[in-house]
Amino acid sequence: MSPSATETAPPTSELRERATAILADLTGRPDAAFHPGQYEAIEALVAERRRALVVQRTGWGKSAVYFIAALLRRREGAGPALIVSPLLALMRDQVRAAERAGVRAAAINSANVAEWRDIEQLLDDDAVDVLFVSPERLVNPRFRAEQLPRLVASLGLLVIDEAHCISDWGHDFRPDYRRIRDLIGELGDGVPVLATTATANQRVVDDVAEQLGTGGRDVFTLRGALARDSLRLGVLELGTAHRRLAWLAEHLDTLPGSGIIYCLTVSAAEDAAAFLTKAGHHVLPYTGRTDAAERQAAEEALQANQVKALVATSALGMGFDKPDLGFVVHVGAPSSPVAYYQQVGRAGRATERADVLLLPGIEDRDIWHWFATNAMPTQARADSVLGALTEADRPLSVPALEARVDLRRGPLELLLKVLAVDGAVEYVSGGWVGTGRPWHYDAERYERIAAARVAEQDAMLAYQALDSCRMAFLTRQLDDPHAAPCGRCDVCAGSWYPTDVTVAATSTASEALDRVGVAVPPRALWPTGLDRLGIRADGKNVTGKIAAAEQAEPGRVVARLTDLGWGGPLRELFASDADGRPIDAEVPAELGRACLRVLKAWDWAERPAAVVWVPSAGRPRLVESLATGIASAGRLKLLGPLALNPDAGAGRGASNSAYRVRDLWERFAVPDQLAEELREVRGPVLLVDDLIDSRWTMTVAARLLRRAGADSVLPFALALAG
């Protein structure tokens, strides 16, 4: 039985004195004083061993609460604090902050595997005050078997940072975080628990508090005003992407200090970073495509004010801490006011003023829709995964499971996490297994969550059109009872930002975004699992490397659907009607000219001699007009389309590689007449389609053409998805 608070905790006055001394060490200021609520939270944890939820704005000092509480508990003889933190960058900042306060801190995550043994030895020697772990560690079999039981037995404090990730309703829900509820249930009554977040509305607060209160425990909730006095909010409607980039090129240097420019897509961030660099601004890209070492170098450059801005996607979010960040600009709006407030909350934490400007785009809603993914499972997908695990006679790795179910890697991994939290599957040494526990698909719950996401998008649109205080609106979205007009935003005080964009800057940006031509590398390997799906060729299983004599060459598209420039016209072209049917039309003249520019600039080894197109069930006019137009303009021999087997793979909508190849394997054929003409062609064949997504259509079609006698095949399409 854990000792009671009254048996071990120092008197209140002594506790406050000790806590204040640690605060002075943490801040480096002997006159440091607690913000309202900080000491009360520490007292609830240390003196009363309570479970506490702290919802306070970024910069209020939530980390000070748990560092001080952890050190006070250690001085009482308790074990280390375990802090569950969502992002590696956030851990790095927190470890550095802890060490400044004299707190012996360590982290176990995917980025420091080589240090795990050393950290385990420190734990054995009781030489760690605070251990940071990612939520994914709570699923790791080795960590759960070797480290977690020892930690739970001696734990002095459990901290869940960015606790909105626990909640289905949080803007950044993460299934692994739901493991924490089980962990809380394993703790003794004397172990205090702290959950912290800066972005939680009342629904999230209630959800998190319910999970903290496992076992009928009372939860101490401390909720402060979330408005940030330093932030000046504004919205500037400029319409097109090139006008937004032009505004940045002309006015970025007028923004205070250094900051972050957020974009909605990786392509947009890369395009914006390249454009601003060419315009003379010192910026760096920071996206999911940025190498891990380059990300860290970019963070350090911004911390040291060596760059004006990082041009980032949401990959740079909760994990970045720069107290003097001077501005945040969004080129395109996030899909939720809560997510938006979380990102802009990075600015102005230790400055009197920070500027926050949203430059919404006409394409925002299309991008929200395009990237809309539901973190919750569907009945069919969950059943297929559970069925595959039940049928297997051994644990299955994600690649092995991917070959058995029709799900791509990312959605499959997310679904496994959801099912693991619900107890239907678990990860063991060697892979995933089913637990045999019954799993109920809660359709009503998932529908409510999906509806909440739509409501958030509508609220974000309402934010842009406000005629009342923007800060009050955002804090009301977080159900802040202290929400009030700020007197600083562009609605309260008028536009504080320049609104002009010169013709010259607009023209330069337009030319930059008019760039066309994106390389598409060919597939070199067949996906695993084709043998299980009955795919064979020449009496053999299809596996391993794609034969060189059957491969496509590197291809080209005009642009990605997510690009700032041509992405907009392409998304319009690939839109559906009110009933969800593809809109089929001939290639617009402007896009046709862009195609010819791509072909003219293509650095192929040999000019194509003929054109073949991939027959389309949804947009036949579009593809045929594209192929015939290219053949006419380039004076290439028009061989016609591949034959389409409408029954093979039709309507299956396969999403992962193995199932996609299965559906395509017999969908196309080379007609006899085309084969005859193909044998007479001397030179590469240009293979034309409308949209490249997985690249498997081009891979399978190119294989057919190569086997029918084509010297080589050059894939070309209007757009690349993603």
mmCIF file of all heavy atoms in Angstrom, residues 366-404:
data_model
loop_
_atom_site.group_PDB
_atom_site.id
_atom_site.type_symbol
_atom_site.label_atom_id
_atom_site.label_comp_id
_atom_site.label_asym_id
_atom_site.label_seq_id
_atom_site.Cartn_x
_atom_site.Cartn_y
_atom_site.Cartn_z
ATOM 1 N N ASP A 366 -10.999 22.205 -50.804
ATOM 2 C CA ASP A 366 -10.674 21.053 -51.648
ATOM 3 C C ASP A 366 -9.557 20.226 -51.015
ATOM 4 O O ASP A 366 -9.585 18.991 -51.052
ATOM 5 C CB ASP A 366 -10.240 21.517 -53.041
ATOM 6 C CG ASP A 366 -11.385 22.112 -53.835
ATOM 7 O OD1 ASP A 366 -12.542 21.782 -53.521
ATOM 8 O OD2 ASP A 366 -11.124 22.901 -54.754
ATOM 9 N N ILE A 367 -8.565 20.918 -50.447
ATOM 10 C CA ILE A 367 -7.447 20.207 -49.826
ATOM 11 C C ILE A 367 -7.919 19.478 -48.576
ATOM 12 O O ILE A 367 -7.525 18.335 -48.324
ATOM 13 C CB ILE A 367 -6.297 21.181 -49.511
ATOM 14 C CG1 ILE A 367 -5.688 21.695 -50.821
ATOM 15 C CG2 ILE A 367 -5.227 20.510 -48.654
ATOM 16 C CD1 ILE A 367 -4.617 22.741 -50.641
ATOM 17 N N TRP A 368 -8.767 20.111 -47.759
ATOM 18 C CA TRP A 368 -9.310 19.415 -46.586
ATOM 19 C C TRP A 368 -10.002 18.128 -47.030
ATOM 20 O O TRP A 368 -9.833 17.078 -46.419
ATOM 21 C CB TRP A 368 -10.312 20.295 -45.841
ATOM 22 C CG TRP A 368 -9.763 21.565 -45.283
ATOM 23 C CD1 TRP A 368 -8.456 21.872 -45.050
ATOM 24 C CD2 TRP A 368 -10.519 22.709 -44.889
ATOM 25 N NE1 TRP A 368 -8.350 23.136 -44.537
ATOM 26 C CE2 TRP A 368 -9.601 23.672 -44.434
ATOM 27 C CE3 TRP A 368 -11.877 23.018 -44.892
ATOM 28 C CZ2 TRP A 368 -10.011 24.922 -43.964
ATOM 29 C CZ3 TRP A 368 -12.281 24.262 -44.430
ATOM 30 C CH2 TRP A 368 -11.356 25.204 -43.970
ATOM 31 N N HIS A 369 -10.802 18.263 -48.093
ATOM 32 C CA HIS A 369 -11.537 17.093 -48.571
ATOM 33 C C HIS A 369 -10.584 16.036 -49.131
ATOM 34 O O HIS A 369 -10.743 14.837 -48.884
ATOM 35 C CB HIS A 369 -12.544 17.516 -49.645
ATOM 36 C CG HIS A 369 -13.307 16.378 -50.244
ATOM 37 N ND1 HIS A 369 -14.285 15.693 -49.554
ATOM 38 C CD2 HIS A 369 -13.215 15.786 -51.466
ATOM 39 C CE1 HIS A 369 -14.774 14.742 -50.326
ATOM 40 N NE2 HIS A 369 -14.140 14.783 -51.484
ATOM 41 N N TRP A 370 -9.585 16.494 -49.868
ATOM 42 C CA TRP A 370 -8.665 15.566 -50.524
ATOM 43 C C TRP A 370 -7.894 14.746 -49.486
ATOM 44 O O TRP A 370 -7.634 13.573 -49.658
ATOM 45 C CB TRP A 370 -7.690 16.349 -51.411
ATOM 46 C CG TRP A 370 -6.901 15.456 -52.314
ATOM 47 C CD1 TRP A 370 -5.650 14.963 -52.117
ATOM 48 C CD2 TRP A 370 -7.327 14.920 -53.573
ATOM 49 N NE1 TRP A 370 -5.271 14.166 -53.153
ATOM 50 C CE2 TRP A 370 -6.273 14.123 -54.066
ATOM 51 C CE3 TRP A 370 -8.501 15.049 -54.318
ATOM 52 C CZ2 TRP A 370 -6.366 13.453 -55.285
ATOM 53 C CZ3 TRP A 370 -8.577 14.383 -55.529
ATOM 54 C CH2 TRP A 370 -7.519 13.601 -56.004
ATOM 55 N N PHE A 371 -7.502 15.407 -48.397
ATOM 56 C CA PHE A 371 -6.708 14.728 -47.380
ATOM 57 C C PHE A 371 -7.547 14.180 -46.231
ATOM 58 O O PHE A 371 -6.996 13.691 -45.246
ATOM 59 C CB PHE A 371 -5.658 15.683 -46.812
ATOM 60 C CG PHE A 371 -4.473 15.863 -47.725
ATOM 61 C CD1 PHE A 371 -4.233 17.084 -48.325
ATOM 62 C CD2 PHE A 371 -3.616 14.810 -47.976
ATOM 63 C CE1 PHE A 371 -3.144 17.255 -49.163
ATOM 64 C CE2 PHE A 371 -2.534 14.969 -48.819
ATOM 65 C CZ PHE A 371 -2.285 16.192 -49.411
ATOM 66 N N ALA A 372 -8.864 14.297 -46.369
ATOM 67 C CA ALA A 372 -9.712 13.847 -45.261
ATOM 68 C C ALA A 372 -9.500 12.358 -45.025
ATOM 69 O O ALA A 372 -9.724 11.547 -45.884
ATOM 70 C CB ALA A 372 -11.177 14.132 -45.581
ATOM 71 N N THR A 373 -9.034 12.040 -43.863
ATOM 72 C CA THR A 373 -8.882 10.639 -43.471
ATOM 73 C C THR A 373 -9.536 10.477 -42.118
ATOM 74 O O THR A 373 -9.452 11.364 -41.271
ATOM 75 C CB THR A 373 -7.404 10.244 -43.373
ATOM 76 O OG1 THR A 373 -6.750 11.132 -42.473
ATOM 77 C CG2 THR A 373 -6.737 10.286 -44.718
ATOM 78 N N ASN A 374 -10.162 9.370 -41.930
ATOM 79 C CA ASN A 374 -10.851 9.110 -40.667
ATOM 80 C C ASN A 374 -9.995 8.183 -39.826
ATOM 81 O O ASN A 374 -9.669 7.092 -40.240
ATOM 82 C CB ASN A 374 -12.210 8.444 -40.945
ATOM 83 C CG ASN A 374 -13.110 8.532 -39.735
ATOM 84 O OD1 ASN A 374 -12.631 8.636 -38.619
ATOM 85 N ND2 ASN A 374 -14.404 8.493 -39.962
ATOM 86 N N ALA A 375 -9.616 8.656 -38.638
ATOM 87 C CA ALA A 375 -8.761 7.851 -37.766
ATOM 88 C C ALA A 375 -9.487 6.636 -37.227
ATOM 89 O O ALA A 375 -8.861 5.747 -36.664
ATOM 90 C CB ALA A 375 -8.261 8.710 -36.603
ATOM 91 N N MET A 376 -10.799 6.606 -37.382
ATOM 92 C CA MET A 376 -11.562 5.498 -36.843
ATOM 93 C C MET A 376 -11.739 4.396 -37.897
ATOM 94 O O MET A 376 -11.774 4.658 -39.086
ATOM 95 C CB MET A 376 -12.944 5.988 -36.387
ATOM 96 C CG MET A 376 -12.864 7.110 -35.378
ATOM 97 S SD MET A 376 -11.862 6.653 -33.936
ATOM 98 C CE MET A 376 -11.369 8.278 -33.364
ATOM 99 N N PRO A 377 -11.848 3.146 -37.456
ATOM 100 C CA PRO A 377 -11.943 2.044 -38.415
ATOM 101 C C PRO A 377 -13.326 1.928 -39.038
ATOM 102 O O PRO A 377 -14.303 2.410 -38.485
ATOM 103 C CB PRO A 377 -11.652 0.815 -37.546
ATOM 104 C CG PRO A 377 -12.140 1.210 -36.186
ATOM 105 C CD PRO A 377 -11.844 2.685 -36.062
ATOM 106 N N THR A 378 -13.376 1.294 -40.204
ATOM 107 C CA THR A 378 -14.662 0.862 -40.749
ATOM 108 C C THR A 378 -14.856 -0.606 -40.371
ATOM 109 O O THR A 378 -13.895 -1.331 -40.115
ATOM 110 C CB THR A 378 -14.706 0.999 -42.274
ATOM 111 O OG1 THR A 378 -13.759 0.085 -42.844
ATOM 112 C CG2 THR A 378 -14.363 2.422 -42.711
ATOM 113 N N GLN A 379 -16.092 -1.024 -40.365
ATOM 114 C CA GLN A 379 -16.388 -2.412 -40.008
ATOM 115 C C GLN A 379 -15.670 -3.382 -40.946
ATOM 116 O O GLN A 379 -15.043 -4.357 -40.502
ATOM 117 C CB GLN A 379 -17.897 -2.644 -40.076
ATOM 118 C CG GLN A 379 -18.316 -4.068 -39.716
ATOM 119 C CD GLN A 379 -18.321 -4.310 -38.222
ATOM 120 O OE1 GLN A 379 -19.056 -3.653 -37.510
ATOM 121 N NE2 GLN A 379 -17.491 -5.231 -37.755
ATOM 122 N N ALA A 380 -15.741 -3.101 -42.254
ATOM 123 C CA ALA A 380 -15.166 -4.029 -43.235
ATOM 124 C C ALA A 380 -13.650 -4.131 -43.081
ATOM 125 O O ALA A 380 -13.080 -5.225 -43.127
ATOM 126 C CB ALA A 380 -15.532 -3.580 -44.649
ATOM 127 N N ARG A 381 -13.000 -2.997 -42.903
ATOM 128 C CA ARG A 381 -11.537 -3.025 -42.776
ATOM 129 C C ARG A 381 -11.107 -3.729 -41.499
ATOM 130 O O ARG A 381 -10.151 -4.511 -41.501
ATOM 131 C CB ARG A 381 -10.995 -1.596 -42.811
ATOM 132 C CG ARG A 381 -11.094 -0.947 -44.178
ATOM 133 C CD ARG A 381 -10.564 0.468 -44.157
ATOM 134 N NE ARG A 381 -10.519 1.037 -45.493
ATOM 135 C CZ ARG A 381 -10.057 2.257 -45.762
ATOM 136 N NH1 ARG A 381 -9.616 3.029 -44.784
ATOM 137 N NH2 ARG A 381 -10.040 2.692 -47.005
ATOM 138 N N ALA A 382 -11.792 -3.427 -40.403
ATOM 139 C CA ALA A 382 -11.448 -4.075 -39.138
ATOM 140 C C ALA A 382 -11.673 -5.580 -39.231
ATOM 141 O O ALA A 382 -10.838 -6.378 -38.778
ATOM 142 C CB ALA A 382 -12.271 -3.480 -38.000
ATOM 143 N N ASP A 383 -12.779 -5.992 -39.836
ATOM 144 C CA ASP A 383 -13.067 -7.420 -39.965
ATOM 145 C C ASP A 383 -12.000 -8.121 -40.802
ATOM 146 O O ASP A 383 -11.611 -9.262 -40.510
ATOM 147 C CB ASP A 383 -14.444 -7.633 -40.596
ATOM 148 C CG ASP A 383 -15.586 -7.311 -39.630
ATOM 149 O OD1 ASP A 383 -15.312 -7.168 -38.423
ATOM 150 O OD2 ASP A 383 -16.732 -7.188 -40.094
ATOM 151 N N SER A 384 -11.533 -7.456 -41.865
ATOM 152 C CA SER A 384 -10.527 -8.090 -42.723
ATOM 153 C C SER A 384 -9.207 -8.273 -41.977
ATOM 154 O O SER A 384 -8.544 -9.308 -42.119
ATOM 155 C CB SER A 384 -10.311 -7.268 -44.003
ATOM 156 O OG SER A 384 -9.710 -6.020 -43.708
ATOM 157 N N VAL A 385 -8.826 -7.288 -41.177
ATOM 158 C CA VAL A 385 -7.584 -7.398 -40.403
ATOM 159 C C VAL A 385 -7.704 -8.480 -39.340
ATOM 160 O O VAL A 385 -6.819 -9.336 -39.186
ATOM 161 C CB VAL A 385 -7.235 -6.046 -39.753
ATOM 162 C CG1 VAL A 385 -6.109 -6.204 -38.731
ATOM 163 C CG2 VAL A 385 -6.831 -5.034 -40.824
ATOM 164 N N LEU A 386 -8.810 -8.468 -38.601
ATOM 165 C CA LEU A 386 -9.002 -9.477 -37.559
ATOM 166 C C LEU A 386 -9.080 -10.877 -38.160
ATOM 167 O O LEU A 386 -8.547 -11.840 -37.595
ATOM 168 C CB LEU A 386 -10.271 -9.165 -36.757
ATOM 169 C CG LEU A 386 -10.227 -7.876 -35.926
ATOM 170 C CD1 LEU A 386 -11.593 -7.582 -35.319
ATOM 171 C CD2 LEU A 386 -9.171 -7.969 -34.833
ATOM 172 N N GLY A 387 -9.720 -10.994 -39.318
ATOM 173 C CA GLY A 387 -9.808 -12.287 -39.978
ATOM 174 C C GLY A 387 -8.447 -12.800 -40.415
ATOM 175 O O GLY A 387 -8.127 -13.986 -40.253
ATOM 176 N N ALA A 388 -7.622 -11.908 -40.970
ATOM 177 C CA ALA A 388 -6.288 -12.308 -41.419
ATOM 178 C C ALA A 388 -5.424 -12.753 -40.245
ATOM 179 O O ALA A 388 -4.671 -13.731 -40.343
ATOM 180 C CB ALA A 388 -5.626 -11.151 -42.165
ATOM 181 N N LEU A 389 -5.516 -12.050 -39.124
ATOM 182 C CA LEU A 389 -4.734 -12.431 -37.948
ATOM 183 C C LEU A 389 -5.222 -13.754 -37.360
ATOM 184 O O LEU A 389 -4.427 -14.564 -36.870
ATOM 185 C CB LEU A 389 -4.795 -11.327 -36.890
ATOM 186 C CG LEU A 389 -4.093 -10.009 -37.252
ATOM 187 C CD1 LEU A 389 -4.321 -8.968 -36.169
ATOM 188 C CD2 LEU A 389 -2.600 -10.231 -37.467
ATOM 189 N N THR A 390 -6.530 -13.988 -37.413
ATOM 190 C CA THR A 390 -7.080 -15.239 -36.900
ATOM 191 C C THR A 390 -6.622 -16.427 -37.740
ATOM 192 O O THR A 390 -6.301 -17.504 -37.211
ATOM 193 C CB THR A 390 -8.627 -15.177 -36.888
ATOM 194 O OG1 THR A 390 -9.044 -14.109 -36.037
ATOM 195 C CG2 THR A 390 -9.222 -16.484 -36.388
ATOM 196 N N GLU A 391 -6.568 -16.234 -39.060
ATOM 197 C CA GLU A 391 -6.185 -17.324 -39.957
ATOM 198 C C GLU A 391 -4.695 -17.635 -39.906
ATOM 199 O O GLU A 391 -4.272 -18.753 -40.215
ATOM 200 C CB GLU A 391 -6.567 -16.963 -41.398
ATOM 201 C CG GLU A 391 -8.072 -16.890 -41.638
ATOM 202 C CD GLU A 391 -8.402 -16.300 -42.999
ATOM 203 O OE1 GLU A 391 -7.452 -16.055 -43.778
ATOM 204 O OE2 GLU A 391 -9.593 -16.091 -43.280
ATOM 205 N N ALA A 392 -3.888 -16.645 -39.515
ATOM 206 C CA ALA A 392 -2.435 -16.841 -39.519
ATOM 207 C C ALA A 392 -2.012 -17.777 -38.392
ATOM 208 O O ALA A 392 -2.596 -17.773 -37.310
ATOM 209 C CB ALA A 392 -1.728 -15.496 -39.386
ATOM 210 N N ASP A 393 -0.972 -18.553 -38.652
ATOM 211 C CA ASP A 393 -0.451 -19.470 -37.639
ATOM 212 C C ASP A 393 0.770 -18.903 -36.923
ATOM 213 O O ASP A 393 1.490 -19.623 -36.225
ATOM 214 C CB ASP A 393 -0.099 -20.822 -38.277
ATOM 215 C CG ASP A 393 0.909 -20.683 -39.413
ATOM 216 O OD1 ASP A 393 1.340 -19.541 -39.691
ATOM 217 O OD2 ASP A 393 1.266 -21.711 -40.022
ATOM 218 N N ARG A 394 1.005 -17.615 -37.106
ATOM 219 C CA ARG A 394 2.152 -16.951 -36.490
ATOM 220 C C ARG A 394 1.875 -15.456 -36.443
ATOM 221 O O ARG A 394 0.965 -14.965 -37.126
ATOM 222 C CB ARG A 394 3.417 -17.210 -37.308
ATOM 223 C CG ARG A 394 3.289 -16.736 -38.769
ATOM 224 C CD ARG A 394 4.493 -17.067 -39.605
ATOM 225 N NE ARG A 394 4.285 -16.769 -41.018
ATOM 226 C CZ ARG A 394 4.410 -15.566 -41.560
ATOM 227 N NH1 ARG A 394 4.751 -14.534 -40.808
ATOM 228 N NH2 ARG A 394 4.196 -15.376 -42.864
ATOM 229 N N PRO A 395 2.634 -14.710 -35.638
ATOM 230 C CA PRO A 395 2.481 -13.246 -35.659
ATOM 231 C C PRO A 395 2.806 -12.700 -37.044
ATOM 232 O O PRO A 395 3.693 -13.219 -37.735
ATOM 233 C CB PRO A 395 3.501 -12.772 -34.616
ATOM 234 C CG PRO A 395 3.724 -13.940 -33.723
ATOM 235 C CD PRO A 395 3.605 -15.149 -34.610
ATOM 236 N N LEU A 396 2.107 -11.655 -37.450
ATOM 237 C CA LEU A 396 2.301 -11.059 -38.770
ATOM 238 C C LEU A 396 2.878 -9.660 -38.645
ATOM 239 O O LEU A 396 2.344 -8.827 -37.908
ATOM 240 C CB LEU A 396 0.975 -10.997 -39.532
ATOM 241 C CG LEU A 396 0.307 -12.337 -39.876
ATOM 242 C CD1 LEU A 396 -1.014 -12.077 -40.592
ATOM 243 C CD2 LEU A 396 1.226 -13.198 -40.735
ATOM 244 N N SER A 397 3.949 -9.408 -39.370
ATOM 245 C CA SER A 397 4.476 -8.049 -39.468
ATOM 246 C C SER A 397 3.506 -7.211 -40.287
ATOM 247 O O SER A 397 2.615 -7.749 -40.969
ATOM 248 C CB SER A 397 5.848 -8.063 -40.144
ATOM 249 O OG SER A 397 5.713 -8.483 -41.500
ATOM 250 N N VAL A 398 3.677 -5.904 -40.256
ATOM 251 C CA VAL A 398 2.787 -5.043 -41.043
ATOM 252 C C VAL A 398 2.902 -5.356 -42.539
ATOM 253 O O VAL A 398 1.880 -5.479 -43.223
ATOM 254 C CB VAL A 398 3.068 -3.555 -40.746
ATOM 255 C CG1 VAL A 398 2.300 -2.660 -41.723
ATOM 256 C CG2 VAL A 398 2.655 -3.217 -39.316
ATOM 257 N N PRO A 399 4.125 -5.514 -43.106
ATOM 258 C CA PRO A 399 4.186 -5.880 -44.538
ATOM 259 C C PRO A 399 3.498 -7.208 -44.837
ATOM 260 O O PRO A 399 2.823 -7.349 -45.866
ATOM 261 C CB PRO A 399 5.695 -5.958 -44.808
ATOM 262 C CG PRO A 399 6.316 -5.059 -43.794
ATOM 263 C CD PRO A 399 5.475 -5.220 -42.569
ATOM 264 N N ALA A 400 3.638 -8.197 -43.936
ATOM 265 C CA ALA A 400 2.989 -9.488 -44.167
ATOM 266 C C ALA A 400 1.474 -9.356 -44.085
ATOM 267 O O ALA A 400 0.738 -9.965 -44.871
ATOM 268 C CB ALA A 400 3.484 -10.510 -43.148
ATOM 269 N N LEU A 401 0.997 -8.539 -43.160
ATOM 270 C CA LEU A 401 -0.447 -8.327 -43.025
ATOM 271 C C LEU A 401 -0.976 -7.508 -44.191
ATOM 272 O O LEU A 401 -2.094 -7.741 -44.679
ATOM 273 C CB LEU A 401 -0.734 -7.626 -41.693
ATOM 274 C CG LEU A 401 -2.196 -7.432 -41.297
ATOM 275 C CD1 LEU A 401 -2.942 -8.761 -41.306
ATOM 276 C CD2 LEU A 401 -2.290 -6.773 -39.933
ATOM 277 N N GLU A 402 -0.174 -6.581 -44.675
ATOM 278 C CA GLU A 402 -0.572 -5.740 -45.803
ATOM 279 C C GLU A 402 -0.857 -6.590 -47.041
ATOM 280 O O GLU A 402 -1.719 -6.251 -47.854
ATOM 281 C CB GLU A 402 0.533 -4.725 -46.105
ATOM 282 C CG GLU A 402 0.153 -3.664 -47.119
ATOM 283 C CD GLU A 402 1.288 -2.698 -47.383
ATOM 284 O OE1 GLU A 402 2.434 -3.022 -47.037
ATOM 285 O OE2 GLU A 402 1.035 -1.611 -47.935
ATOM 286 N N ALA A 403 -0.122 -7.699 -47.188
ATOM 287 C CA ALA A 403 -0.325 -8.578 -48.339
ATOM 288 C C ALA A 403 -1.597 -9.396 -48.218
ATOM 289 O O ALA A 403 -2.021 -10.029 -49.191
ATOM 290 C CB ALA A 403 0.872 -9.517 -48.477
ATOM 291 N N ARG A 404 -2.227 -9.379 -47.036
ATOM 292 C CA ARG A 404 -3.422 -10.189 -46.810
ATOM 293 C C ARG A 404 -4.698 -9.362 -46.746
ATOM 294 O O ARG A 404 -5.789 -9.922 -46.778
ATOM 295 C CB ARG A 404 -3.270 -10.987 -45.509
ATOM 296 C CG ARG A 404 -2.235 -12.104 -45.579
ATOM 297 C CD ARG A 404 -1.851 -12.574 -44.174
ATOM 298 N NE ARG A 404 -1.126 -13.846 -44.191
ATOM 299 C CZ ARG A 404 0.168 -13.950 -44.447
ATOM 300 N NH1 ARG A 404 0.886 -12.862 -44.718
ATOM 301 N NH2 ARG A 404 0.755 -15.138 -44.434
#
